[in-house]
Amino acid sequence: MFVDEVRIKVKGGRGGAGVVAFRREKYVPRGGPAGGNGGRGGNVVFRADPNLTTLLDFRYQQNFAADSGDSGAGTRKHGQDGGDIILKAPVGTMVYVEGSDYPVADLSEPGQEFIAARGGRGGRGNSVFANSTRQAPRFAERGEPGEERTLRLELKLLADVGLVGFPNVGKSTLIAACTAAQPKIADYPFTTLVPNLGVVQVEDRSFVMADIPGLIEGASEGLGIGHRFLRHIERTRVIFHILDVSGLTGRDPVNDYHVLRRELAAYSAALADLPEIIALNKTDIPGSDALADQVEVALADGPPIYRISAATVAGVDALLYAALRALDDAPLPKPASMDDDAPLFTGGAPDMEFIWNIHRAFDGAWVLEGQGVERRVVMTDMNSDEGVRRLHRQLEKMGVLKSLRKAGAKHGDTVRIAEIDLDFVEEHPPVEPPSEDEMEEEPAE
């Protein structure tokens, strides 16, 4: 089964929790803090695999989550990082954040990797927060949650030459004659229901040829089955128009060519500018020469024309050498336009740490959203009075509490951050000398 579009959910692993621990050694009556840091959560990583040609595996499993990091331990032992999860996808897979029309990744090279969901940072143990004025901290950080999002995967085959034509004109026969591909071939329309890829070897050179399922008039508007596969032509460098000149079907090859040109241009203006070669197929059928002559006259001002018989392989060599010459002059596919505003990889970005917005929820709570603020809240152990006081000082120094006052928040109001409800308290927490760790940047991974 050929599958070229799926939707999946990915989630990075949560970071392990830091721990509160103190040295407990003989003859050391007042051992200092010794809590270790939690390990980083695993990432969800896509890897382009040249051995895959379909997204079928994602049809049966749509939810993927990486491993969480381990918690720290005493004697400053750090937790182990969570394992990454590697998702193999065909070369040519485009990754979109659900709801966006622009990709965030284009897996166009074999072995290329893309981190789709980063794991959360591990929480820091209490040994990190010790200083000259706070020698025995009794709090640690929780691990940061991993990124979580819904993605749309779309496969666009990477081929140098794309075969287009109406159903039953001989495209599958041609690709079978040129390559080791073994497409299903029969004498009825729409035999080819999936694109077929094959590698063509010409002397010491090779290129990839794709047999695109038959198009019909109106395909660019969603008619027939060809519209499902028009995307696979987008990154083709040269287009072969396969026209049937046998005369057995009653079709007009010249009209077929112009219809195909209109459909390609309607789908994408860039396709109309690609180099083209016309192959007049089924010339082994008696009487085909007369129709081929008419086509050559009618399309004399168009692309180069070659007479072939895919069934007997007559004229195919000349067609393939013409493809090599066209590929020498054809431009390489343009890289996809990426979505620079997609909500990916923002964790820990310095320019996002001190940006937040505030609005009032229907239940009267003040909802505060912002990467840096939310991360500090979810990594705070709310069961630790010291940890909560530290969070209060952080929010005060960041200017978050000032923003809440300016928005109209009053003492006792509910403030919701990362789905955690907190009380807005105007009175100052117990005075404690500020420490350097209050506002420091998170350690780089």
Side-chain angles (χ1 to χ4, degrees):
M1 180 184 296
F2 181 79
V3 178
D4 60 356
E5 185 171 348
V6 294
R7 285 169 173 78
I8 65 173
K9 293 183 178 180
V10 294
K11 183 178 182 180
R14 183 171 191 129
V19 299
V20 177
F22 295 89
R23 291 176 61 191
R24 292 292 184 265
E25 300 176 29
K26 193 174 182 180
Y27 307 120
V28 184
R30 294 186 178 182
N37 301 336
R40 176 187 61 81
N43 301 323
V44 179
V45 182
F46 281 102
R47 179 181 296 162
D49 187 339
N51 296 317
L52 297 178
T53 58
T54 175
L55 296 171
L56 179 62
D57 290 345
F58 297 104
R59 175 65 62 87
Y60 301 109
Q61 182 178 357
Q62 291 91 31
N63 297 299
F64 302 90
D67 295 336
S68 297
D70 291 339
S71 298
T75 64
R76 300 191 180 186
K77 291 180 180 179
H78 297 335
Q80 185 174 353
D81 291 343
D84 295 343
I85 181 172
I86 305 297
L87 305 181
K88 295 182 179 180
V91 176
T93 299
M94 313 283 285
V95 182
Y96 298 79
V97 175
E98 184 68 5
S100 172
D101 293 328
Y102 294 93
V104 293
D106 181 359
L107 303 178
S108 58
E109 299 290 338
Q112 180 180 347
E113 293 188 346
F114 168 72
I115 301 177
R118 290 190 183 276
R121 294 168 175 166
R124 291 178 288 180
N126 68 330
S127 62
V128 175
F129 302 107
N131 54 45
S132 58
T133 59
R134 187 170 55 201
Q135 298 181 7
R138 297 184 177 276
F139 65 90
E141 290 179 329
R142 301 174 62 205
E144 180 185 23
E147 294 180 325
E148 183 175 5
R149 54 183 52 88
T150 300
L151 302 175
R152 186 176 88 256
L153 307 184
E154 185 177 293
L155 176 60
K156 294 184 180 181
L157 297 179
L158 295 176
D160 299 302
V161 175
L163 308 183
V164 298
F166 278 79
N168 207 30
V169 298
K171 298 188 304 301
S172 296
T173 305
L174 177 59
I175 196 170
C178 297
T179 75
Q182 296 181 338
K184 180 181 178 181
I185 300 172
D187 190 20
Y188 54 87
F190 298 119
T191 298
T192 304
L193 299 179
V194 303
N196 293 302
L197 281 177
V199 178
V200 180
Q201 188 74 34
V202 182
E203 295 183 354
D204 60 344
R205 298 182 59 183
S206 63
F207 59 87
V208 178
M209 178 182 290
D211 165 20
I212 309 301
L215 304 180
I216 65 172
E217 189 168 7
S220 60
E221 299 175 358
L223 300 180
I225 64 171
H227 73 285
R228 293 173 48 200
F229 304 108
L230 278 168
R231 71 164 69 98
H232 298 300
I233 311 176
E234 288 188 81
R235 290 195 275 196
T236 295
R237 299 174 60 200
V238 176
I239 290 181
F240 276 8
H241 286 274
I242 313 301
L243 305 179
D244 183 350
V245 294
S246 67
L248 300 179
T249 62
R251 302 194 62 87
D252 179 357
V254 175
N255 181 66
D256 285 355
Y257 169 73
H258 290 304
V259 169
L260 291 172
R261 284 276 302 168
R262 287 196 298 270
E263 292 303 322
L264 295 177
Y267 181 77
S268 170
L271 292 180
D273 296 329
L274 291 177
E276 296 177 324
I277 294 176
I278 296 176
L280 306 182
N281 192 27
K282 303 186 181 182
T283 56
D284 56 306
I285 305 298
S288 61
D289 288 340
L291 184 54
D293 290 339
Q294 297 175 19
V295 175
E296 288 183 344
V297 172
L299 302 179
D301 296 331
I305 299 176
Y306 292 84
R307 299 189 185 194
I308 68 167
S309 170
T312 66
V313 199
V316 171
D317 284 348
L319 180 67
L320 297 182
Y321 278 104
L324 287 179
R325 293 191 294 272
L327 289 171
D328 288 338
D329 298 330
L332 295 174
K334 294 181 179 179
S337 299
M338 298 298 167
D339 185 357
D340 296 330
D341 296 326
L344 290 173
F345 314 135
T346 54
D351 58 341
M352 299 293 291
E353 283 292 292
F354 301 98
I355 298 177
W356 56 82
N357 63 77
I358 301 171
H359 65 272
R360 202 78 183 265
F362 70 93
D363 59 356
W366 296 95
V367 180
L368 199 150
E369 298 173 331
Q371 174 186 297
V373 177
E374 292 179 12
R375 178 166 52 80
R376 284 173 168 81
V377 170
V378 298
M379 295 183 73
T380 296
D381 181 1
M382 295 299 174
N383 294 319
S384 168
D385 291 339
E386 277 192 61
V388 173
R389 287 198 297 269
R390 174 175 176 267
L391 174 64
H392 190 281
R393 291 193 299 271
Q394 285 182 314
L395 298 182
E396 185 71 78
K397 291 182 179 182
M398 291 174 68
V400 173
L401 302 187
K402 181 179 180 180
S403 296
L404 284 167
R405 296 185 190 103
K406 186 175 180 180
K410 305 297 183 182
H411 179 79
D413 285 354
T414 298
V415 178
R416 185 169 299 137
I417 305 176
E419 300 184 356
I420 297 176
D421 286 353
L422 306 171
D423 292 330
F424 184 70
V425 179
E426 276 289 16
E427 61 186 16
H428 295 289
V431 177
E432 184 176 330
S435 60
E436 294 180 357
D437 73 85
E438 302 284 337
M439 299 301 297
E440 69 180 4
E441 290 289 336
E442 297 291 337
E445 296 184 8

